[in-house]
Amino acid sequence: MAEPLRLFVSATNDLDAERAAIGRALANLPVQVSIEIRRTPAAGAPIEAIHERIANVDRVYFLLGADMTAPAGAEWHLAWQLERSLLALRRATPNLHRTPAGQDFLRTARVAWQSFSGPGDAARLVALDVAALLQHPANRYGLSVLELEQLVAHATRLLQEAPAAIRRIDPGGAQGGGVLLDMGHREPLQGVPLDEL
């Protein structure tokens, strides 16, 4: 049975448009696969609830804007404690003035940061990373050969697109988290599969 891909998107408070664009970009992937996008609710959550959301994800995406804000700091530390695979992205635009807390976090975090310039650019980086994750050697996500080819073609297009064109993505999407359903790779909820008759 195909597994769902579980992702956690952590972003500082000034990056809601980036989080939304990421949800939309993942929904537009050219394959039918179950992707669960998690986040801490906007109203906040106790540390135990954040721990539960991060504990069994396949990848954590951490987006840093101008300031290090809650709950992003707790999410960062939990991801490291739980040894989750993490992709660190930082907003880097000429007019961005990072706060002292943001500068200190950027300086002390021991990761290789990838820079992005806006919502579309962040969405492109995450979509490319998810495309790579979905090409798991053991085919954990149950993709057919045709779907894998479509995924590679989509990733190639993303790599070739100009960043200005990518930034035009409408920032609507999974701001509050979500589940992208995959009806083609799920076991039937009731009844007997046809191949067993």
Side-chain angles (χ1 to χ4, degrees):
M1 184 171 139
E3 299 177 29
L5 177 61
R6 294 178 181 93
L7 309 172
F8 189 92
V9 180
S10 175
T12 55
N13 292 342
D14 56 336
L15 299 178
D16 278 341
E18 282 77 359
R19 190 191 314 259
I22 287 168
R24 188 174 186 109
L26 296 182
N28 289 328
L29 288 173
V31 294
Q32 293 296 312
V33 64
S34 179
I35 300 177
E36 185 178 327
I37 304 168
R38 299 176 181 179
R39 71 167 287 185
T40 300
I47 195 73
E48 297 81 19
I50 299 171
H51 181 281
E52 187 177 315
R53 284 179 170 88
I54 294 176
N56 68 341
V57 296
D58 298 297
R59 173 82 88 196
V60 173
Y61 296 100
F62 183 85
L63 287 77
L64 176 66
D67 192 14
M68 189 59 190
T69 58
E75 294 165 347
W76 173 270
H77 289 293
L78 281 171
W80 280 101
Q81 274 182 337
L82 296 168
E83 299 179 355
R84 299 292 82 203
S85 174
L86 188 134
L87 180 62
L89 304 164
R90 67 182 181 139
R91 182 151 189 170
T93 53
N95 61 349
L96 179 71
H97 299 290
R98 216 166 248 115
T99 66
Q103 290 173 6
D104 189 53
F105 182 80
L106 191 60
R107 184 180 49 78
T108 59
R110 298 177 185 194
V111 295
W113 290 93
Q114 288 191 34
S115 297
F116 65 92
S117 59
D121 199 24
R124 179 182 61 87
L125 291 170
V126 172
L128 285 167
D129 187 67
V130 168
L133 291 174
L134 290 173
Q135 296 175 54
H136 191 274
N139 198 15
R140 288 175 52 186
Y141 309 107
L143 297 177
S144 69
V145 173
L146 178 61
E147 287 175 314
L148 287 169
E149 288 173 357
Q150 290 171 333
L151 192 62
V152 169
H154 182 70
T156 302
R157 278 192 304 277
L158 287 177
L159 284 170
Q160 294 171 346
E161 287 180 357
I166 296 168
R167 282 190 212 108
R168 287 194 299 262
I169 293 175
D170 179 20
Q175 298 98 317
V179 176
L180 304 177
L181 296 177
D182 163 31
M183 300 314 289
H185 294 92
R186 292 277 184 188
E187 293 290 324
L189 296 177
Q190 299 177 23
V192 179
L194 293 176
D195 59 354
E196 292 181 13
L197 293 177

